[in-house]
Amino acid sequence: MFKSVLVANRGEIACRVFRTAKRMGIRTIAVYSEADADALHVREADEAVLIGPAAARESYLDGAKVLAAAKATGAEAIHPGYGFLSENADFAEAVAAAGLIWIGPDPKSIRAMGLKDAAKQLMIEAGVPVTPGYQGADQSEETLSAEAARIGYPVLIKAVAGGGGKGMKRVDDPADFAAGLASAKREGAAAFGDDRVLIERYITRPRHIEVQVFGDRHGNVVHLYERDCSLQRRHQKVIEEAPAPGMSEAVRAAVTEAAIKAAKAVDYVGAGTIEFIADASDGLRADGVWFMEMNTRLQVEHPVTESVTGVDLVEWQFRVAAGEPIPLKQDEIKLNGWAMEARLYAEDPANGFLPSIGRLEHFVMPDGIRVDTGVEQGGEVSQFYDPMIAKLIVHEDTREAAAARLAEAAGEVEVWPVKANAGFLKRCLEHPRFVAGDVDTGFIAAEEGALKPAPSDAATLAALTLVAEAAAEAVEPGADRFSPWGGQPGLSYGTRLNAQAQTTIWARVDGQAVSAPVTPVETGWRGPLGEQAQLGFDQVQAGERLFGYRVVEDGFVLFVDGEARQVAAYRAAVAGAAGAVSDGALRAPMPGKVVAAPAKAGDRVTKGQPVVVLEAMKMEHALTAPFDGVVESVSAVGEQVTEATVLAVVKADA
């Protein structure tokens, strides 16, 4: 076994690999960009090397700099994690040429599966069922449009080098094909340096089923059962689980056999995932599952497989890379219980899921479950990298218990002032359709209304009004924790001797007015619950429920079911104040680059029509007209902009 490993990655996956390496007594080496100088993965490594500026192309994607860091530190092996250089065959070859151990598959396997069109053809030859589509060399718009018509709408345009939902566009109408194609090509070129695409039939009720496979240099290939990754938003996985709900032994046998066949077709070594798309319109059937692609690396969702099999996949990667055989035979790998993983993203569900950046002034993760993260309180969520900040993983005896525990854990997340999707995750996990296992990749879009935050219940209202009253009298701005009676934990919000028999407390919650009648009692306030609401050192108790809170400059932040609710004292006299009317200015929601301007100055646009497209955090974001009108100005394509920059102005019709 090698004695040192450099992880050519950052954040959560770097920390995850270090954890296994340290358990095995292997020295750990980190690389980092200027933006990550204070990052958690840098501090957790035994040694760390600066490799360049914040932009990934000048740091984490620069193979020469990574190899120079490995040489300077005496690293014996390189683990690429996922993303960045993990599926770069040229880099894998360079690692081997430098005399280092590459912890991943052979370059020829990466190349065979790296381009979706070539991979599909290879699978056809190997007898693996594939989705009907077009993966030809002719990339002209005329040919691609004609092939889409032949396949039949809706179709899916996919970047041949793509992954993670980037460069992937669904098109329902031939009239929208050209725009979808242009966007997929731009994203493919920006993310992977390759603008070629393939076209597939779009399955109307698709489920995303994938199989974890593992190969070694002794001719052994095994599977570690399937995962279901159907809960997605814009092709990005949100919640993953193992095993797949509704999976019969017959279908499992067919899918895992196809996965083994696919891995053997490319002489696969190491950890890999064969991804399938299944038609869920009539349950899972062996003849309704098709090969989609192979990821020649460790997957983000690998912890759910680890949970149900008891296997440390990173340890297996180390052992196989060192020349050892796979530690277990197929019949020794058992499926135990149910595991689920939720991806905690720095994004704002209330604002179109736009990524959120900034310092994590408050960052509290749930206890009692596995949490894989690369950030901590005081850390920074950067505009330069993926917005995933943690993974919440649970393992229970049944699917129902796993969903309930993960929902509970998501509700315990506290993140501020960066926005996070914890509340959204909780609502997904508690939705009756999800609990019943009735999930496909269109679930979130179909249930969008039900997944929005519900109005405050009585307990929440009691807690909100209590901290608002306390905020009006006893806030100490800048304090990390707060108690109105000298900062002592556990004390309730006490009575005032001259208090009225009943009063109405007004609060401003996320800019909206709320109110509730409260009555002073000997040890606190009797509010909407008809029970006491008590304010302790860092929690509010309202009836049976507990809420965390934090003092901020203008009051409090109350953490309710994974949501951060900003609370401040509010006077009833201004409760009806109206919000400002939009001025027609389309402002950048985050720093980024203008990559397209579908509308030009002087164009007439209708409400919801795309005006300008911003690329940020590796994804495109279309800014649309707020109302019918005429475009007065639009930023130039290629312009780098900061947050809140006016990208376009629309003048409303008179």
Side-chain angles (χ1 to χ4, degrees):
M1 178 59 63
F2 44 84
K3 294 181 172 59
S4 59
V5 61
L6 180 147
V7 177
N9 217 296
R10 64 179 299 278
E12 171 267 321
I13 186 57
C15 293
R16 160 69 190 96
V17 175
F18 290 159
R19 190 163 64 243
T20 292
K22 289 180 179 181
R23 179 175 60 76
M24 297 176 67
I26 299 171
R27 183 168 67 95
T28 57
I29 302 159
V31 292
Y32 66 95
S33 71
E34 291 173 355
D36 279 341
D38 297 321
L40 184 61
H41 80 278
V42 175
R43 293 201 305 281
E44 289 199 344
D46 295 318
E47 191 171 353
V49 180
L50 173 66
I51 57 171
R57 285 197 176 104
E58 300 177 63
S59 51
Y60 297 109
L61 285 171
D62 191 325
K65 290 180 178 178
V66 173
L67 285 173
K71 182 178 180 180
T73 57
E76 296 178 51
I78 291 182
H79 192 301
Y82 50 71
F84 293 136
L85 296 168
S86 63
E87 295 180 279
N88 187 313
D90 292 340
F91 179 67
E93 286 178 340
V95 170
L100 304 177
I101 295 172
W102 167 250
I103 304 176
D106 290 339
K108 65 177 183 179
S109 301
I110 298 174
R111 288 195 175 96
M113 289 297 198
L115 297 178
K116 291 180 172 59
D117 52 352
K120 286 186 69 174
Q121 186 59 42
L122 183 62
M123 292 300 99
I124 291 170
E125 294 169 2
V128 177
V130 302
T131 312
Y134 170 78
Q135 56 269 356
D138 188 343
Q139 292 284 300
S140 67
E141 182 177 331
E142 293 76 15
T143 295
L144 293 171
S145 179
E147 289 295 330
R150 178 186 63 80
I151 295 165
Y153 286 88
V155 297
L156 198 60
I157 305 172
K158 300 169 69 173
V160 299
K166 300 175 185 68
M168 186 181 297
K169 302 294 174 183
R170 172 181 171 174
V171 181
D172 296 306
D173 190 305
D176 300 324
F177 183 82
L181 176 63
S183 182
K185 282 179 168 290
R186 280 196 305 270
E187 284 191 4
F192 313 107
D194 190 337
D195 72 349
R196 291 176 298 158
V197 300
L198 59 82
I199 303 173
E200 291 179 346
R201 177 196 298 169
Y202 185 84
I203 310 301
T204 53
R205 274 215 71 191
R207 279 181 59 183
H208 185 128
I209 308 291
E210 59 188 35
V211 177
Q212 178 73 60
V213 295
F214 225 102
D216 63 24
R217 297 197 179 281
H218 304 273
N220 303 306
V221 179
V222 299
H223 71 80
L224 292 94
Y225 301 97
E226 81 281 355
R227 298 184 288 254
D228 190 302
C229 306
S230 298
L231 203 75
Q232 301 179 8
R233 188 187 61 77
R234 299 174 189 166
H235 308 295
Q236 290 276 11
K237 299 169 186 175
V238 176
I239 294 171
E240 301 105 341
E241 57 184 304
M247 176 67 73
S248 69
E249 287 302 324
V251 176
R252 175 174 290 132
V255 172
T256 54
E257 181 183 345
I260 294 288
K261 193 180 293 185
K264 287 184 174 180
V266 292
D267 300 320
Y268 198 76
V269 174
T273 298
I274 312 296
E275 300 196 348
F276 297 90
I277 190 168
D279 184 351
S281 58
D282 190 27
L284 292 177
R285 307 183 318 277
D287 62 352
V289 183
W290 302 283
F291 171 86
M292 187 164 56
E293 63 185 3
M294 181 178 190
N295 287 308
T296 52
R297 53 172 168 79
L298 198 65
Q299 289 277 88
V300 176
E301 57 271 24
H302 77 273
V304 296
T305 294
E306 293 184 323
S307 297
V308 294
T309 61
V311 167
D312 184 329
L313 291 173
V314 174
E315 179 180 342
W316 278 27
Q317 284 186 298
F318 287 168
R319 295 195 180 283
V320 166
E324 297 180 20
I326 296 171
L328 296 176
K329 294 182 172 57
Q330 186 66 69
D331 60 3
E332 296 175 316
I333 304 170
K334 305 299 182 183
L335 193 60
N336 175 38
W338 213 286
M340 285 188 185
E341 172 184 293
R343 301 191 187 192
L344 184 66
Y345 282 103
E347 62 184 12
D348 185 4
N351 190 24
F353 292 91
L354 286 175
S356 181
I357 61 175
R359 185 167 299 279
L360 292 162
E361 296 176 8
H362 186 86
F363 185 71
V364 177
M365 293 292 100
D367 292 327
I369 68 166
R370 176 175 171 178
V371 177
D372 285 9
T373 185
V375 297
E376 60 186 347
Q377 187 160 294
E380 190 89 13
V381 178
S382 168
Q383 63 170 301
F384 297 102
Y385 313 117
D386 189 274
M388 190 180 74
I389 53 178
K391 301 185 303 195
L392 312 179
I393 305 109
V394 301
H395 182 219
E396 300 288 344
D397 291 338
T398 66
R399 185 176 188 276
E400 293 76 11
R405 181 66 188 97
L406 190 53
E408 179 183 35
E412 294 170 357
V413 168
E414 299 180 9
V415 179
W416 178 264
V418 172
K419 303 291 186 182
N421 67 331
F424 171 77
L425 293 172
K426 178 177 172 65
R427 292 187 292 276
C428 287
L429 289 158
E430 292 177 334
H431 193 286
R433 271 189 60 195
F434 181 84
V435 173
D438 179 19
V439 177
D440 57 55
T441 59
F443 172 88
I444 289 176
E447 303 295 340
E448 183 178 3
L451 297 176
K452 292 180 179 178
S456 296
D457 60 16
T460 305
L461 190 59
L464 290 172
T465 53
L466 178 65
V467 295
E469 174 69 3
E473 299 192 356
V475 172
E476 182 183 343
D480 187 50
R481 296 293 189 188
F482 166 79
S483 172
W485 298 107
Q488 300 177 35
L491 294 179
S492 65
Y493 183 73
T495 63
R496 293 173 295 174
L497 295 179
N498 62 348
Q500 299 175 352
Q502 187 181 72
T503 185
T504 297
I505 295 179
W506 285 87
R508 190 172 71 249
V509 182
D510 298 333
Q512 300 296 315
V514 299
S515 67
V518 295
T519 304
V521 295
E522 185 176 350
T523 57
W525 292 96
R526 194 180 304 280
L529 291 176
E531 301 177 15
Q532 288 178 181
Q534 295 185 328
L535 181 63
F537 183 57
D538 61 357
Q539 286 185 323
V540 180
Q541 181 169 358
E544 298 293 322
R545 300 186 64 186
L546 286 173
F547 304 88
Y549 72 93
R550 177 187 172 92
V551 176
V552 295
E553 192 66 31
D554 186 30
F556 290 81
V557 175
L558 188 72
F559 299 102
V560 182
D561 294 333
E563 305 280 0
R565 309 291 299 277
Q566 193 164 10
V567 186
Y570 198 93
R571 295 183 178 276
V574 297
V581 177
S582 171
D583 58 2
L586 305 182
R587 293 175 171 82
M590 69 200 78
K593 178 182 179 181
V594 177
V595 294
K600 310 298 182 189
D603 286 356
R604 176 165 294 282
V605 292
T606 57
K607 181 179 179 180
Q609 182 176 336
V611 176
V612 63
V613 180
L614 183 73
E615 181 187 77
M617 299 183 90
K618 301 192 289 186
M619 296 291 282
E620 289 190 359
H621 308 276
L623 281 70
T624 61
F627 36 63
D628 295 350
V630 175
V631 178
E632 287 193 334
S633 63
V634 183
S635 293
V637 173
E639 183 179 350
Q640 289 284 156
V641 298
T642 58
E643 184 175 356
T645 298
V646 175
L647 303 181
V649 176
V650 178
K651 182 178 180 181
D653 289 335

